Amino acid sequence: MRRRDLLAGGAAMLAAGPGIRSARAQGDTWPSQTIRLIVPFPPGAANDTLGRAVADQLAPRLGKPVVVDNRSGAGGSIGSAAVARAAPDGYTLLLGHIGTLAVNPAIYPKLPYDPVKDFDPVAMIASVTNVMVVHPAQPFRDLQSLVEFARKNPNRLRYCSAGNGSAGHIVMLAFLQATGVQMEHVPYRGLAQGLTDLVAGVVELTIGGAPTVMPLVNQGLLRAIGVSSPKRMASLPDLPTVAETVAPGFDVRPWYGIAAPAGTPPEIVKRLNTEINAIVETPAVKARLELEGADPTPMAPAAMASFIKSEVQRWGDLIRAAGVTAQ
């Protein structure tokens, strides 16, 4: 009986095919080596900060090093493509975000990866509230006066961003669509350059993460007038939301999450999802996220997959309507 049972089990494994056998073997032994988390942007950006916050906590939970590998270029496409081409064994992960996983397909006509087909969503990390800031010489002290002026003076106001398809750019596109106003977009190679010109009065406004723009506000170099989240930020309770002032229902927050190459064993995806969901709810990581103006957004892999599909559609429609292309 025992020999017959072994033969039957072997036959079942053969029938299952090499892919299933390989996935089971990997799932049973994973992780046995260092894991790479590819961040497709330079060190120091919000993507990098959030990626390292997760990597630092994930390593002790898995018992293996988790190394952050910055591979920037082409709006995050270079690093994302590297993950899409990697072996689906759980040892190469992507720190993806709204740009790489939702916006880029509409920006780059020859994108070297498909955000839906080439990745298995693993876990969401956070969504980030953006703060709208204006030059203090401008008369706008609130969102209402800004919108009223823009309606009377189409394309008179200029807003800067970190480039076509950047998080700040698409948040502003959504703001313009929701309010029905027109402004001129001035793209830069990074928001730092744009903020320099904003402080100098070359452009009139921008929208960006709180850690990036609020130090300039606190120095009196810029004025903050509103936030992009549906609720006011706990750290900036006096700043009204776009939704409560000029565009009911407005909720546009860049988001960040972890993805793996398509075909990664489900057991590995499930383990990573469980660990990362727990990580983003720990006090230490919550505090680090709050510094970035970010809120934890734990999500199951299936829910994340549906969310990404909806975001690809949402931003693709808006970007094509606006005629935005890569710089």
Side-chain angles (χ1 to χ4, degrees), residues 29-43:
T29 61
W30 182 89
S32 61
Q33 63 189 57
T34 297
I35 297 167
R36 285 187 308 149
L37 175 60
I38 292 182
V39 176
F41 292 93

PDB file of all heavy atoms in Angstrom, residues 29-43:
ATOM      1  N   THR A  29      10.223  26.456   0.440  1.00  0.00           N
ATOM      2  CA  THR A  29      11.561  26.792   0.919  1.00  0.00           C
ATOM      3  C   THR A  29      11.830  28.291   0.997  1.00  0.00           C
ATOM      4  O   THR A  29      12.824  28.706   1.571  1.00  0.00           O
ATOM      5  CB  THR A  29      12.624  26.166   0.003  1.00  0.00           C
ATOM      6  OG1 THR A  29      12.472  26.680  -1.324  1.00  0.00           O
ATOM      7  CG2 THR A  29      12.472  24.654  -0.044  1.00  0.00           C
ATOM      8  N   TRP A  30      10.982  29.081   0.428  1.00  0.00           N
ATOM      9  CA  TRP A  30      11.210  30.535   0.354  1.00  0.00           C
ATOM     10  C   TRP A  30      11.002  31.193   1.720  1.00  0.00           C
ATOM     11  O   TRP A  30      10.072  30.796   2.457  1.00  0.00           O
ATOM     12  CB  TRP A  30      10.214  31.128  -0.647  1.00  0.00           C
ATOM     13  CG  TRP A  30      10.357  32.600  -0.864  1.00  0.00           C
ATOM     14  CD1 TRP A  30      11.139  33.223  -1.770  1.00  0.00           C
ATOM     15  CD2 TRP A  30       9.692  33.637  -0.139  1.00  0.00           C
ATOM     16  NE1 TRP A  30      11.021  34.581  -1.671  1.00  0.00           N
ATOM     17  CE2 TRP A  30      10.134  34.874  -0.672  1.00  0.00           C
ATOM     18  CE3 TRP A  30       8.770  33.661   0.914  1.00  0.00           C
ATOM     19  CZ2 TRP A  30       9.683  36.088  -0.202  1.00  0.00           C
ATOM     20  CZ3 TRP A  30       8.341  34.869   1.389  1.00  0.00           C
ATOM     21  CH2 TRP A  30       8.780  36.069   0.830  1.00  0.00           C
ATOM     22  N   PRO A  31      11.831  32.183   2.077  1.00  0.00           N
ATOM     23  CA  PRO A  31      13.017  32.650   1.354  1.00  0.00           C
ATOM     24  C   PRO A  31      14.275  31.954   1.835  1.00  0.00           C
ATOM     25  O   PRO A  31      14.423  31.683   3.021  1.00  0.00           O
ATOM     26  CB  PRO A  31      13.049  34.135   1.695  1.00  0.00           C
ATOM     27  CG  PRO A  31      12.505  34.194   3.096  1.00  0.00           C
ATOM     28  CD  PRO A  31      11.479  33.089   3.193  1.00  0.00           C
ATOM     29  N   SER A  32      15.182  31.688   0.915  1.00  0.00           N
ATOM     30  CA  SER A  32      16.451  31.060   1.266  1.00  0.00           C
ATOM     31  C   SER A  32      17.626  31.938   0.893  1.00  0.00           C
ATOM     32  O   SER A  32      18.774  31.522   1.055  1.00  0.00           O
ATOM     33  CB  SER A  32      16.565  29.704   0.546  1.00  0.00           C
ATOM     34  OG  SER A  32      16.526  29.887  -0.868  1.00  0.00           O
ATOM     35  N   GLN A  33      17.350  33.153   0.374  1.00  0.00           N
ATOM     36  CA  GLN A  33      18.424  34.059  -0.036  1.00  0.00           C
ATOM     37  C   GLN A  33      17.947  35.500   0.049  1.00  0.00           C
ATOM     38  O   GLN A  33      16.791  35.761   0.392  1.00  0.00           O
ATOM     39  CB  GLN A  33      18.869  33.731  -1.460  1.00  0.00           C
ATOM     40  CG  GLN A  33      17.779  33.942  -2.494  1.00  0.00           C
ATOM     41  CD  GLN A  33      18.160  33.421  -3.860  1.00  0.00           C
ATOM     42  OE1 GLN A  33      18.481  32.237  -4.008  1.00  0.00           O
ATOM     43  NE2 GLN A  33      18.135  34.274  -4.867  1.00  0.00           N
ATOM     44  N   THR A  34      18.824  36.430  -0.245  1.00  0.00           N
ATOM     45  CA  THR A  34      18.518  37.861  -0.190  1.00  0.00           C
ATOM     46  C   THR A  34      17.419  38.220  -1.189  1.00  0.00           C
ATOM     47  O   THR A  34      17.389  37.724  -2.310  1.00  0.00           O
ATOM     48  CB  THR A  34      19.779  38.683  -0.503  1.00  0.00           C
ATOM     49  OG1 THR A  34      20.755  38.416   0.503  1.00  0.00           O
ATOM     50  CG2 THR A  34      19.470  40.176  -0.529  1.00  0.00           C
ATOM     51  N   ILE A  35      16.518  39.117  -0.761  1.00  0.00           N
ATOM     52  CA  ILE A  35      15.431  39.610  -1.611  1.00  0.00           C
ATOM     53  C   ILE A  35      15.780  41.029  -2.043  1.00  0.00           C
ATOM     54  O   ILE A  35      16.247  41.841  -1.234  1.00  0.00           O
ATOM     55  CB  ILE A  35      14.096  39.598  -0.830  1.00  0.00           C
ATOM     56  CG1 ILE A  35      13.735  38.160  -0.460  1.00  0.00           C
ATOM     57  CG2 ILE A  35      12.980  40.259  -1.646  1.00  0.00           C
ATOM     58  CD1 ILE A  35      12.629  38.069   0.567  1.00  0.00           C
ATOM     59  N   ARG A  36      15.577  41.332  -3.324  1.00  0.00           N
ATOM     60  CA  ARG A  36      15.820  42.678  -3.843  1.00  0.00           C
ATOM     61  C   ARG A  36      14.495  43.410  -4.022  1.00  0.00           C
ATOM     62  O   ARG A  36      13.578  42.885  -4.650  1.00  0.00           O
ATOM     63  CB  ARG A  36      16.531  42.633  -5.190  1.00  0.00           C
ATOM     64  CG  ARG A  36      18.002  42.287  -5.137  1.00  0.00           C
ATOM     65  CD  ARG A  36      18.610  42.442  -6.510  1.00  0.00           C
ATOM     66  NE  ARG A  36      17.849  41.717  -7.513  1.00  0.00           N
ATOM     67  CZ  ARG A  36      17.735  42.076  -8.786  1.00  0.00           C
ATOM     68  NH1 ARG A  36      18.313  43.191  -9.220  1.00  0.00           N
ATOM     69  NH2 ARG A  36      17.045  41.345  -9.638  1.00  0.00           N
ATOM     70  N   LEU A  37      14.416  44.592  -3.463  1.00  0.00           N
ATOM     71  CA  LEU A  37      13.267  45.465  -3.693  1.00  0.00           C
ATOM     72  C   LEU A  37      13.738  46.587  -4.615  1.00  0.00           C
ATOM     73  O   LEU A  37      14.500  47.461  -4.199  1.00  0.00           O
ATOM     74  CB  LEU A  37      12.740  46.039  -2.377  1.00  0.00           C
ATOM     75  CG  LEU A  37      11.612  47.074  -2.511  1.00  0.00           C
ATOM     76  CD1 LEU A  37      10.395  46.483  -3.196  1.00  0.00           C
ATOM     77  CD2 LEU A  37      11.232  47.635  -1.137  1.00  0.00           C
ATOM     78  N   ILE A  38      13.310  46.541  -5.866  1.00  0.00           N
ATOM     79  CA  ILE A  38      13.727  47.554  -6.820  1.00  0.00           C
ATOM     80  C   ILE A  38      12.826  48.777  -6.699  1.00  0.00           C
ATOM     81  O   ILE A  38      11.600  48.681  -6.818  1.00  0.00           O
ATOM     82  CB  ILE A  38      13.698  47.007  -8.260  1.00  0.00           C
ATOM     83  CG1 ILE A  38      14.802  45.947  -8.427  1.00  0.00           C
ATOM     84  CG2 ILE A  38      13.891  48.139  -9.279  1.00  0.00           C
ATOM     85  CD1 ILE A  38      14.917  45.372  -9.819  1.00  0.00           C
ATOM     86  N   VAL A  39      13.456  49.911  -6.413  1.00  0.00           N
ATOM     87  CA  VAL A  39      12.769  51.200  -6.375  1.00  0.00           C
ATOM     88  C   VAL A  39      13.150  51.928  -7.663  1.00  0.00           C
ATOM     89  O   VAL A  39      14.323  52.272  -7.844  1.00  0.00           O
ATOM     90  CB  VAL A  39      13.183  52.028  -5.141  1.00  0.00           C
ATOM     91  CG1 VAL A  39      12.536  53.406  -5.185  1.00  0.00           C
ATOM     92  CG2 VAL A  39      12.794  51.299  -3.862  1.00  0.00           C
ATOM     93  N   PRO A  40      12.207  52.171  -8.559  1.00  0.00           N
ATOM     94  CA  PRO A  40      12.559  52.712  -9.874  1.00  0.00           C
ATOM     95  C   PRO A  40      12.763  54.229  -9.911  1.00  0.00           C
ATOM     96  O   PRO A  40      12.481  54.877 -10.920  1.00  0.00           O
ATOM     97  CB  PRO A  40      11.367  52.288 -10.736  1.00  0.00           C
ATOM     98  CG  PRO A  40      10.215  52.265  -9.803  1.00  0.00           C
ATOM     99  CD  PRO A  40      10.771  51.814  -8.470  1.00  0.00           C
ATOM    100  N   PHE A  41      13.245  54.768  -8.806  1.00  0.00           N
ATOM    101  CA  PHE A  41      13.512  56.205  -8.704  1.00  0.00           C
ATOM    102  C   PHE A  41      14.775  56.411  -7.873  1.00  0.00           C
ATOM    103  O   PHE A  41      15.204  55.506  -7.163  1.00  0.00           O
ATOM    104  CB  PHE A  41      12.324  56.931  -8.077  1.00  0.00           C
ATOM    105  CG  PHE A  41      11.104  56.939  -8.955  1.00  0.00           C
ATOM    106  CD1 PHE A  41      10.135  55.963  -8.823  1.00  0.00           C
ATOM    107  CD2 PHE A  41      10.948  57.907  -9.942  1.00  0.00           C
ATOM    108  CE1 PHE A  41       9.022  55.950  -9.657  1.00  0.00           C
ATOM    109  CE2 PHE A  41       9.841  57.905 -10.779  1.00  0.00           C
ATOM    110  CZ  PHE A  41       8.876  56.928 -10.638  1.00  0.00           C
ATOM    111  N   PRO A  42      15.376  57.609  -7.933  1.00  0.00           N
ATOM    112  CA  PRO A  42      16.627  57.841  -7.198  1.00  0.00           C
ATOM    113  C   PRO A  42      16.423  57.793  -5.687  1.00  0.00           C
ATOM    114  O   PRO A  42      15.293  57.946  -5.197  1.00  0.00           O
ATOM    115  CB  PRO A  42      17.036  59.261  -7.647  1.00  0.00           C
ATOM    116  CG  PRO A  42      16.249  59.542  -8.878  1.00  0.00           C
ATOM    117  CD  PRO A  42      14.975  58.771  -8.738  1.00  0.00           C
ATOM    118  N   PRO A  43      17.499  57.607  -4.945  1.00  0.00           N
ATOM    119  CA  PRO A  43      17.416  57.656  -3.470  1.00  0.00           C
ATOM    120  C   PRO A  43      16.931  59.025  -3.000  1.00  0.00           C
ATOM    121  O   PRO A  43      17.190  60.045  -3.638  1.00  0.00           O
ATOM    122  CB  PRO A  43      18.861  57.411  -3.030  1.00  0.00           C
ATOM    123  CG  PRO A  43      19.503  56.710  -4.181  1.00  0.00           C
ATOM    124  CD  PRO A  43      18.857  57.265  -5.411  1.00  0.00           C
TER     125      PRO A  43
END
